[in-house]
Amino acid sequence: MAVRKPIRFPLMALGMLALLAGMWGGLLRMGWELPLARPRLVALHGPLMVSAFLGTLIGLERAVALGVTWAYGGPLLSALGGVVLLAGVPGATVPVLLTAGSLGLVAIFAVIVRRQPALFTVTMGLGALSWLAGNALWLAGKPIFSVVGWWLAYLVLTIAGERLELSRMLPQTAAARAAFVIIVVVLLLGVVLGGVGSDSGARVTGAALLALTAWLLRHDIARRTVRQAGLTRFTAVCLLSGYVWLAAGGALSLYAGGVIAGLEYDATLHAVLLGFVFAMIFGHAPIIFPAVLGVAVPFRPRFYAHLVLLHATLLLRVLGDLTAVLPLRQWGGMLGAVAVLMFLANTIWAVRQGWIASQRVRLQKSQPGGASGPSAGAVAG
């Protein structure tokens, strides 16, 4: 573990670099006049966000959980894909690296499923295969709009599998599990059909997203944990509010059909990829960061600020999309980027506060009679 741990911080840093660059490219796509307006940032906004950022983040989390050195190869390759993209290296280097990174995640889940064959591990494994399929199709020359459904399935199935795992503490009937399987199959069917930009594929995918939302709202343990306090409640609020955007994405996909560009396309994708996915990130970051990086992220009520801003600005953006009021869309996008930056700032601040509190406790314990001083919990509070 001592050999593997130092690589985690550089990989996380490269993932965050891809996030910042991806947001910059997204703002350029929306018409904001910003410095460093490189065409590649605009054209490859999606690969930066999905593969170089989220692919690296999820791959790193799974590599740490698996606990073997080779598993870090996947997130390393996806992180390098983001670096090469930002460096402007021409040719197929970027899709090759990102495809190799997704293959690494598939290899990780092959081991996980073999060790623990269960519905939730298989679901997450199907998510990794979806990412690989999307990247491989992009490598083969398919346009991004024709593979984005596979990337969407990657993130949705990964999150759904994680929630299924954590909800095992609640009783589930055989019918509920069967319904979950059917929803996953229908979602993948919709993605396959939507690979050619068909209305039927988009609408099947939308129906599956709506059904998955209903299933999660019915069976997710967040329905109970939202009644608790502190970080537990915050995580549950993130999850439940994210499900609202998952449903919105499904409804918009049913409404818009197989659009491949434009305002309705933007609203549909970002309802899921921003509203749903980033709500999950906000809720799980105080849990994942300590596990991956070994740094405490104490909960603070100010975390609600970046969550509320995320949802409010995304609503502004989607309204701007659906009404073709471009200033609403642009300001929704800009303030949405501010929400993500606020999330990063609040997380760093919480880490710093937690470190200061731990140092105070350590200092008190090292002093004569320190054991009888204030408790760690009192100091941290």
Side-chain angles (χ1 to χ4, degrees):
M1 186 63 69
V3 177
R4 296 189 291 269
K5 195 168 184 178
I7 199 175
R8 301 180 190 177
F9 285 92
L11 287 179
M12 182 67 77
L14 290 177
M16 293 302 153
L17 176 63
L19 167 64
L20 296 175
M23 290 194 304
W24 198 264
L27 293 176
L28 292 170
R29 286 174 67 99
M30 301 181 77
W32 286 101
E33 294 184 4
L34 303 172
L36 300 175
R38 297 179 181 178
R40 287 175 68 84
L41 283 180
V42 178
L44 300 180
H45 162 72
L48 268 173
M49 295 296 289
V50 173
S51 293
F53 167 52
L54 290 168
T56 300
L57 186 67
I58 294 171
L60 179 58
E61 177 194 359
R62 291 299 156 185
V64 171
L66 192 61
V68 294
T69 302
W70 64 262
Y72 290 84
L76 175 61
L77 289 167
S78 58
L80 289 177
V83 172
V84 170
L85 190 160
L86 295 176
V89 176
T93 306
V94 172
V96 166
L97 286 170
L98 295 180
T99 302
S102 55
L103 183 61
L105 186 62
V106 170
I108 289 174
F109 274 106
V111 175
I112 292 174
V113 171
R114 187 175 69 247
R115 290 181 179 178
Q116 189 177 10
L119 181 56
F120 69 88
T121 58
V122 171
T123 300
M124 290 187 282
L126 288 173
L129 283 169
S130 297
W131 183 33
L132 175 60
N135 286 343
L137 289 170
W138 183 41
L139 177 61
K142 296 292 184 181
I144 288 179
F145 71 79
S146 69
V147 304
V148 72
W150 290 103
W151 293 341
L152 182 146
Y154 157 51
L155 297 170
V156 169
L157 291 177
T158 298
I159 294 170
E162 290 175 345
R163 298 313 305 165
L164 181 64
E165 176 184 9
L166 294 174
S167 296
R168 289 181 299 162
M169 292 177 284
L170 296 178
Q172 292 179 1
T173 65
R177 294 173 64 83
F180 184 88
V181 171
I182 292 171
I183 292 169
V184 170
V185 171
V186 173
L187 174 62
L188 292 174
L189 175 62
V191 172
V192 171
L193 293 174
V196 294
S198 69
D199 283 342
S200 60
R203 292 193 166 101
V204 169
T205 300
L209 294 179
L210 285 171
L212 181 60
T213 302
W215 195 97
L216 290 169
L217 287 173
R218 171 65 180 83
H219 297 283
D220 199 313
I221 197 172
R223 291 177 56 205
R224 298 187 179 184
T225 56
V226 74
R227 303 167 189 166
Q228 300 181 21
L231 177 59
T232 303
R233 171 179 287 176
F234 174 73
T235 301
V237 170
C238 289
L239 292 167
L240 296 175
S241 60
Y243 294 156
V244 174
W245 284 113
L246 182 63
L252 287 168
S253 186
L254 280 172
Y255 166 75
V259 292
I260 59 175
L263 298 180
E264 292 175 347
Y265 176 81
D266 180 84
T268 302
L269 286 186
H270 287 89
V272 178
L273 300 179
L274 186 55
F276 172 61
V277 173
F278 270 81
M280 302 301 118
I281 293 173
F282 287 5
H284 288 102
I287 303 169
I288 294 175
F289 280 17
V292 172
L293 300 179
V295 294
V297 185
F299 170 75
R300 294 294 185 265
R302 67 166 61 187
F303 287 2
Y304 282 100
H306 54 252
L307 178 64
V308 171
L309 186 60
L310 173 75
H311 293 319
T313 56
L314 181 55
L315 180 60
L316 193 68
R317 175 176 182 163
V318 170
L319 287 175
D321 282 333
L322 297 181
T323 59
V325 179
L326 296 186
L328 281 180
R329 176 176 183 264
Q330 288 181 312
W331 279 107
M334 175 64 77
L335 294 174
V338 171
V340 176
L341 293 176
M342 183 185 294
F343 154 70
L344 295 175
N346 281 340
T347 302
I348 293 171
W349 178 83
V351 170
R352 180 178 180 275
Q353 293 299 108
W355 182 83
I356 291 174
S358 67
Q359 294 303 306
R360 288 175 179 169
V361 172
R362 185 177 301 177
L363 179 61
Q364 288 177 349
K365 288 184 177 180
S366 66
Q367 294 174 347
S372 60
S375 68
V379 175

